[in-house]
């Protein structure tokens, strides 16, 4: 919201500097975003009268002008403009003048003749013909403003106004107006506030002879107010009105349109003007759009309407989209003679949905969607009619049509000083609270606060506390100790787990990625999910960004492969990526999802390999203290190479999968066949974490080391052999490590040689040869019985 301080002075005289004004308004809750001054960048430019002109001797299109710049100072200025005549008053940039855009003017020679300045066009002053309709667009600005040679152009053109930009929050639509901010400014600086009532003389006649209004949707349009003007004269608005609109960021158009925009800015109530001759049947109907109805709006676009949209219509057709934009079929044009001023209150939610559906956000819709004062329609339409009479833009027809379909009910809140002070941690007396509220136009009767109609945000004593606090001064509230129970700081177990996993993955060279939580059904085919896979049961997004983002993902694999494919397409030779990815599974008889978090890893290139990635997964699980981890060959998962995939379990419960991505899947993503992927359930990791590590003293007794080489079938996993060794080697087996796998001429076909290094130790004694032999015999016997393995 841009506020002209010149305009503000119509309602309250605030004499402080711009900086003090901005600081004070910010501290009282109206946050200032910026400050600008109209005409900023213009320096040393004055009004001048052309006293003589002659052709330039060395140019067929340039003139040498004698210009009176005041104080008996006659300048010689060369110009190429063709619209200048003797006697014209023009802007003159003197030697050393500055213009918007950083342009600086210096005395210089043009075709051999010294020019002591420059005659300025509108564009060179940062203005256009909307600001001064009588001027021409291309040429020197021939000024019609009353002035004398030497007058500062800033004062002549009414520039130099300070414009303050406010950030208005959605709960304060009343501040989207000059009057609303004037009320805040008056309360902030303790200045009197004067809001005069519009005075309309009228010209006789009776509006009832011309128009009737019907509201079919009271929930969407609680109130509709209208007045009419006849014998309308369409012409440019006066300079003061154009200047104020321009300071507010609104382009002047003509007097009628400018009046509606002026009132919207002043009162915060959007208005619209219809050409009465275009209202068929002399009746305005506020209704929902009919199926298939269309309307060409003022921007020239054809809009297809739906029954969810509220329209303003006559007996045969819509003539405006309520609260958004008028229709071209009732536009004010030069031939318009009678107009209808609309000042209505529309449901904010309905306006917002309509504007979004039609893809057209306007100043009016931006205000309506925040919820406007239902009592503001009459003052606004009265002010518009007052301006019509003031500008001589037409004759106001007597009477007003005010249809109240849903009466406004005044809100009241109890004044509870003790609660307010308890909430703020202050000791503010009741009289101060009442004084603050009354400055804001609240009425206090005993302990009852009567809330003004424009303060829709006030509903609870905590809202009253906010009003009191911002004028008491947040910076003056003393610090106090917390009372009652306070939350304990620190990270939760989940946060600690997440932080540790991040640190581990990054330490192993993985880079974190972040992908969308939604995807496409086509991704299921790309990773070769079976038609009956439960992962194809997904939540459908009602308003998707597109077909490729139409479902909530049930697996994070496509997301990881997409990122890997993007890196491969950019010729990144090797990547190691990880993500904490959430997946979503539908819940029966519920619109909600079963949300699960997975740690996913992906890599290709460099030293990427199955056992390389398996080592990383083992390191993660070991650091997370996950107990009884094992890897079992998996051949049924269609997304992975059938011979290079393993299911990961902890204590017999599945916690993840690891493997080489299937060649067909790689081809569908444009990846090299040497791509690897793993995923671990973070919930399962947390559930299977063992106790915190404890440290024990170094062993007092020496270890006994034995190596064994076994011959067994080639299809027996090494992990199965290790499990048997660990089980049979109790209680003295401390560690079993694989150090060799061999197949060759000395090994029978279909078999392999597997060598282990075993460490035996007792905590309470030195092991004897009998202990060692007994343990080794038990291990060999178990290997032979369970796997048919024999000593090589």
């Amino acid at each position: 919201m841009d506020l002209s301080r010149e305009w503000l002075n119509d309602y309250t005289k605030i004499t402080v500097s711009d900086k003090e004004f901005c600081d004070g308004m910010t501290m009282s809750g109206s946050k200032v975003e910026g400050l600008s001054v109209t005409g900023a960048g213009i320096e040393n430019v004055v009004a001048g009268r052309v006293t003589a002109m002659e052709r330039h001797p060395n140019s067929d299109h340039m003139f040498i002008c004698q210009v009176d710049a005041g104080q008996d100072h006659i300048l010689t200025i060369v110009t190429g403009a063709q619209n200048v005549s003797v006697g014209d008053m023009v802007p003159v940039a003197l030697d050393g003048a500055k213009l918007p855009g950083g342009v600086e003017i210096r005395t210089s020679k043009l075709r051999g003749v010294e020019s002591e300045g420059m005659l300025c066009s509108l564009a060179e002053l940062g203005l256009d013909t909307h600001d001064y309709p009588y001027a021409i667009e291309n040429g020197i600005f021939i000024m019609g403003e009353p002035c004398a040679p030497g007058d500062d152009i800033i004062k002549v053109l009414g520039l130099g106004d300070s414009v303050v930009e406010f950030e208005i929050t959605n709960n304060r639509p009343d501040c989207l107006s000059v009057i609303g901010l004037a009320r805040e400014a008056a309360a902030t600086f303790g200045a009197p506030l004067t809001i005069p009532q519009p005075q309309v003389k009228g010209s006789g006649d009776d509006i009832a002879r011309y128009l009737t209004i019907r509201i079919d949707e009271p929930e969407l349009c609680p109130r509709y107010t209208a007045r009419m003007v006849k014998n309308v004269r369409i012409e440019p608005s006066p300079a003061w009105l154009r200047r104020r609109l321009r300071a507010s960021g609104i382009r002047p158009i003509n007097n009628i349109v400018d009046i509606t925009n002026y009132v919207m800015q002043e009162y915060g109530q959007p208005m619209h003007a219809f050409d009465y001759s275009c209202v068929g049947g002399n009746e305005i109907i506020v209704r929902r759009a009919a199926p298939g109805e269309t309307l060409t709006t003022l921007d020239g676009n054809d809009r297809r309407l739906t029954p969810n949209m509220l329209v303003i219509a006559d007996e045969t057709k819509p003539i405006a989209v309520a609260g958004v934009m008028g229709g071209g079929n009732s536009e004010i044009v030069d031939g318009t003679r009678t107009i209808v001023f609309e000042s209505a209150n529309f449901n904010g939610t309905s306006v917002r949905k309509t504007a979004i559906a039609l893809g057209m956000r306007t100043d009016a819709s931006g205000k309506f969607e925040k919820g406007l004062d239902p009592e503001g329609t009459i003052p606004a339409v009265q002010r518009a009619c007052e301006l019509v009479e003031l500008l001589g833009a037409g004759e106001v027809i007597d009477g007003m049509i005010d249809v109240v379909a849903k009466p406004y009910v005044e809100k009241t809140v109890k004044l509870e000083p003790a609660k307010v002070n308890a909430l703020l941690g202050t000791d503010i007396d009741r009289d101060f609270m009442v004084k603050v509220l009354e400055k804001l136009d609240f009425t206090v009767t005993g302990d009852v606060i009567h809330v003004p109609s424009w303060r829709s945000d006030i509903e609870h004593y905590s809202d009253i506390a906010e009003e009191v606090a911002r004028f008491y001064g947040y910076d003056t509230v003393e610090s106090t100790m917390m009372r009652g129970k306070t939350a304990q700081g620190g990270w939760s177990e989940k946060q600690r787990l997440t932080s540790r996993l991040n640190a581990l993955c990054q330490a192993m060279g993985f880079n974190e990625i972040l992908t969308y939580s939604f995807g496409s059904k086509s991704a299921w085919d790309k990773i070769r999910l079976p038609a009956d896979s439960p992962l194809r049961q997904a939540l459908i997004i009602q308003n998707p960004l597109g077909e490729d983002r139409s479902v909530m993902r049930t697996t994070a694999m496509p997301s990881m492969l997409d990122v890997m494919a993007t890196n491969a397409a950019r010729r990144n030779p090797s990547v190691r990526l990880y993500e904490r990815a959430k997946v979503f599974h539908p819940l029966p008889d519920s619109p909600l999802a079963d949300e699960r978090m997975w740690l996913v890893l992906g890599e290709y290139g460099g030293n990427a390999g199955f056992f390389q990635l398996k080592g990383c997964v083992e390191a993660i699980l070991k650091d997370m203290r996950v107990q009884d981890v094992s890897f079992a060959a998996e051949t049924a998962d269609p997304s992975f190479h059938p011979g290079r995939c393993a299911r990961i379990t902890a204590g017999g419960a599945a916690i993840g999968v690891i493997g080489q991505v299937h060649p067909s899947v790689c081809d569908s993503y444009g990846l090299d066949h040497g791509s690897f992927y793993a995923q671990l359930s973070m919930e399962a990791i947390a559930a299977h974490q063992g106790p915190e590590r404890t440290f024990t003293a170094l062993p007092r007794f020496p270890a006994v080391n034995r190596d064994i080489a076994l011959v067994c079938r080639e299809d027996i996993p090494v992990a199965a052999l290790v499990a048997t060794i660990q089980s049979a080697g109790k209680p003295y087996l401390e560690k079993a490590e694989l150090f060799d796998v061999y197949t060759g001429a000395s090994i029978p076909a279909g078999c392999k040689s597997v060598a282990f290094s075993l460490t035996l130790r007792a905590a309470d004694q030195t092991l004897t040869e009998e202990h060692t032999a007994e343990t080794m015999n038990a291990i060999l016997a178990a290997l032979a019985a369970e796997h048919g393995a024999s000593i090589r």
Side-chain angles (χ1 to χ4, degrees):
M1 170 71 186
D2 292 337
L3 175 68
S4 159
R5 289 200 65 184
E6 174 195 312
W7 198 345
L8 176 69
N9 284 336
D10 287 356
Y11 298 99
T12 182
K13 303 292 184 182
I14 307 297
T15 58
V16 301
S17 68
D18 286 341
K19 184 180 187 307
E20 290 174 309
F21 179 77
C22 293
D23 290 347
M25 293 296 285
T26 296
M27 290 304 295
S28 67
S30 302
K31 182 183 176 185
V32 174
E33 284 288 289
L35 172 71
S36 61
V37 178
T38 59
I42 300 176
E43 295 180 17
N44 207 22
V45 180
V46 300
R49 178 181 288 111
V50 179
T51 59
M53 292 181 65
E54 62 180 22
R55 288 279 183 182
H56 195 298
N58 300 320
S59 172
D60 58 358
H61 71 280
M62 301 181 79
F63 295 90
I64 301 173
C65 301
Q66 301 300 313
V67 182
D68 180 4
Q71 299 180 348
D72 300 324
H73 196 187
I74 304 299
L75 304 177
T76 298
I77 296 178
V78 178
T79 181
Q82 305 299 304
N83 68 314
V84 179
S85 303
V86 174
D88 287 343
M89 294 296 295
V90 295
V92 180
L94 305 178
D95 181 47
K98 294 181 180 179
L99 299 176
V103 177
E104 189 169 345
I105 305 301
R106 291 293 181 186
T107 297
S108 60
K109 286 188 176 182
L110 295 176
R111 300 285 180 94
V113 176
E114 188 173 77
S115 181
E116 299 177 280
M118 185 182 78
L119 308 185
C120 300
S121 67
L122 278 173
E124 286 161 339
L125 295 173
L127 306 170
D128 60 34
T129 53
H130 289 287
D131 300 296
Y132 300 92
Y134 61 82
I136 65 172
E137 188 168 0
N138 299 310
I140 299 302
F141 179 24
I142 309 302
M143 296 188 299
E145 323 304 308
C147 59
D151 288 351
D152 188 343
I153 204 71
I154 295 291
K155 294 182 179 178
V156 171
L157 300 181
L159 305 176
D161 183 16
S162 296
V163 179
V164 183
E165 180 188 354
F166 288 91
E167 179 188 328
I168 306 300
T169 54
N170 289 342
N171 68 320
R172 291 300 306 274
D174 59 300
C175 288
L176 292 171
S177 66
V178 175
I179 290 176
L181 288 173
R183 187 180 289 111
E184 291 290 313
T188 299
F189 295 100
L193 176 69
T194 303
I195 304 177
Q197 295 298 315
Q199 301 298 318
V200 182
K201 298 175 183 177
S203 61
D205 213 339
D206 184 1
I207 191 174
R209 295 179 55 244
Y210 296 84
L211 189 68
T212 59
I213 296 173
R214 188 179 87 226
I215 298 177
D216 291 346
E217 296 291 337
E219 291 298 323
L220 303 184
C221 179
R223 190 169 194 166
Y224 194 102
T225 307
R227 290 205 68 168
M228 291 182 62
V229 179
K230 63 183 180 180
N231 298 326
V232 171
R233 291 177 288 279
I234 306 295
E235 56 189 14
S237 298
W240 65 268
L241 193 149
R242 298 197 308 268
R243 189 167 61 246
R244 288 187 174 183
L245 288 180
R246 176 63 76 176
S248 301
I250 300 173
R251 188 182 70 176
I253 304 295
N254 60 50
N255 52 359
I256 298 301
V257 175
D258 292 350
I259 284 172
T260 61
N261 286 332
Y262 188 91
V263 172
M264 178 176 70
Q265 195 70 8
E266 188 173 41
Y267 281 76
Q269 171 65 47
M271 291 187 60
H272 187 65
F274 300 104
D275 186 332
Y276 174 69
S277 65
C278 300
V279 180
N282 300 336
E283 182 179 30
I284 288 178
I285 305 168
V286 185
R287 61 171 174 82
R288 291 180 183 270
E293 231 172 7
T294 61
L295 174 66
T296 301
T297 47
L298 288 172
D299 57 5
N301 293 317
D302 293 332
R303 309 289 180 177
R304 182 170 294 278
L305 309 175
T306 68
N308 294 325
M309 300 174 183
L310 190 70
V311 297
I312 310 302
D314 61 20
E315 65 177 7
T316 60
K317 63 185 182 300
I319 56 177
V321 181
V324 183
M325 186 179 288
N329 56 12
S330 59
E331 182 180 5
I332 305 297
V333 295
D334 290 341
T336 299
R337 290 294 170 263
T338 305
I339 63 171
V340 179
F341 276 131
E342 168 195 281
S343 179
N345 186 259
F346 298 116
N347 179 277
T349 302
S350 172
V351 171
R352 178 171 175 80
K353 288 182 177 180
T354 298
I356 291 174
L358 295 177
M360 49 189 300
R361 183 179 173 86
T362 61
D363 288 340
S365 70
K367 285 181 165 62
F368 275 123
E369 68 185 27
K370 295 173 177 64
L372 298 184
D373 178 9
E375 301 289 280
T377 61
I378 290 180
V381 77
Q382 289 289 83
R383 176 59 166 159
C385 292
E386 181 183 48
L387 288 171
V388 166
E389 294 181 339
L390 180 65
L391 273 54
E395 300 172 11
V396 179
I397 295 174
D398 285 351
M400 174 194 303
I401 300 177
D402 182 33
V403 180
V404 181
K406 186 177 179 182
Y408 168 72
V409 178
E410 182 188 62
K411 287 192 297 185
T412 59
V413 178
K414 188 178 180 182
L415 177 59
E416 301 175 281
K419 280 190 175 182
V420 169
N421 281 318
L423 183 63
L424 298 177
T426 56
D427 189 21
I428 303 171
D429 61 62
R430 182 184 186 279
D431 290 343
F432 179 87
M433 297 182 186
V434 172
K435 189 178 297 184
V436 166
L437 295 171
E438 289 178 342
K439 284 197 300 184
L440 294 170
D441 283 349
F442 290 73
T443 302
V444 182
T445 305
D447 288 335
V448 178
I449 302 168
H450 301 270
V451 180
S453 59
W454 58 82
R455 291 302 303 271
S456 58
D457 59 310
I458 303 297
E459 296 182 346
H460 189 255
Y461 86 88
S462 58
D463 299 319
I464 300 300
E466 181 181 1
E467 299 301 299
V468 171
R470 64 193 183 95
F471 288 101
Y472 179 75
Y474 290 113
D475 54 335
T476 63
V477 175
E478 296 182 1
S479 298
T480 57
M481 294 294 292
M482 288 184 176
R483 292 179 295 223
K485 286 188 175 182
T486 57
Q488 298 295 320
W491 283 3
S492 66
E493 287 297 328
K494 182 179 179 181
Q495 289 172 323
R496 280 195 285 269
L497 172 64
T498 298
S499 177
R500 186 58 187 164
L501 285 174
N502 281 335
L504 284 171
C505 291
Q506 291 164 14
M508 290 186 288
F510 288 86
N511 292 304
E512 186 175 13
I513 63 172
L514 182 64
T515 60
Y516 286 114
S517 294
F518 27 78
S520 169
K521 293 181 180 180
S522 61
W524 299 334
D525 297 326
K526 293 176 72 173
I527 64 172
R528 305 178 74 240
L529 280 185
D532 59 350
S533 171
L535 295 181
R536 287 183 179 266
Q537 303 300 317
L539 292 166
I540 308 299
I541 299 174
Q542 292 183 353
N543 56 339
L545 298 176
E547 181 58 34
D548 58 340
R549 297 284 185 268
S550 59
V551 298
M552 300 303 293
R553 67 184 176 191
T554 56
T555 170
M557 188 176 198
S559 302
M560 174 61 74
L561 296 181
D562 275 332
V563 178
M564 292 170 65
T566 299
N567 279 271
R570 302 293 190 275
R571 300 189 177 182
N572 194 345
S574 62
V575 297
R576 303 191 89 182
L577 306 173
Y578 83 97
E579 180 181 16
R580 290 176 293 104
K582 186 173 288 187
V583 299
F584 305 81
H585 300 281
L587 288 172
D589 302 323
S590 173
L592 302 179
D594 177 14
E595 302 180 16
R596 304 176 190 176
M597 187 69 76
W598 292 81
L599 173 67
V600 295
L601 309 170
E603 67 173 349
Y604 71 78
N607 296 322
F610 177 86
F611 292 105
Q612 178 78 6
L613 187 58
K614 178 173 178 284
C616 295
V617 170
E618 288 177 322
I620 290 171
L621 295 176
K622 181 178 180 181
D623 192 277
M624 291 291 103
R625 309 187 312 277
V626 179
Q627 304 292 300
D628 300 325
V629 175
S630 63
F631 295 78
E634 172 63 59
T635 59
D637 194 321
S639 299
F640 294 95
H641 191 296
R644 300 169 188 172
C645 176
R647 288 286 168 192
I648 309 170
T649 60
I655 64 171
V657 65
I658 179 174
Q660 181 176 345
V661 180
H662 196 285
S664 297
V665 176
C666 289
D667 290 341
S668 65
Y669 282 92
L671 288 169
D672 183 87
H673 289 182
S675 299
F676 299 86
Y677 174 87
Q679 64 181 33
L680 296 168
S681 168
M682 291 183 63
E683 287 86 352
I685 290 175
H688 290 85
Q689 278 189 302
E692 291 286 346
R693 290 187 179 87
T694 58
F695 294 91
T696 57
L698 293 173
R700 294 177 54 200
F701 300 99
V704 176
N705 297 311
R706 293 287 187 270
D707 292 343
I708 57 173
L710 307 171
V711 176
C712 64
R713 294 196 318 274
E714 196 170 13
D715 61 345
I716 297 176
V718 170
L721 299 174
V722 172
T724 298
I725 292 172
Q726 291 175 335
S727 176
K730 296 176 181 179
Y732 300 129
L733 180 67
E734 184 176 82
K735 183 167 56 177
E737 291 183 327
L738 172 74
F739 68 85
D740 182 55
V741 177
Y742 172 72
T743 57
S746 61
I747 305 300
C751 294
K752 61 183 176 183
S753 170
V754 186
F756 296 95
S757 176
L758 308 181
T759 301
L760 310 179
R761 192 195 307 269
D764 56 353
Q765 61 179 313
T766 299
L767 294 180
T768 63
E769 186 62 32
E770 289 78 10
H771 293 136
T772 303
E774 181 182 347
T775 301
M776 294 302 297
N777 290 334
I779 290 172
L780 294 174
L783 289 169
E786 294 181 20
H787 304 292
S790 60
I791 290 291
R792 179 179 169 186

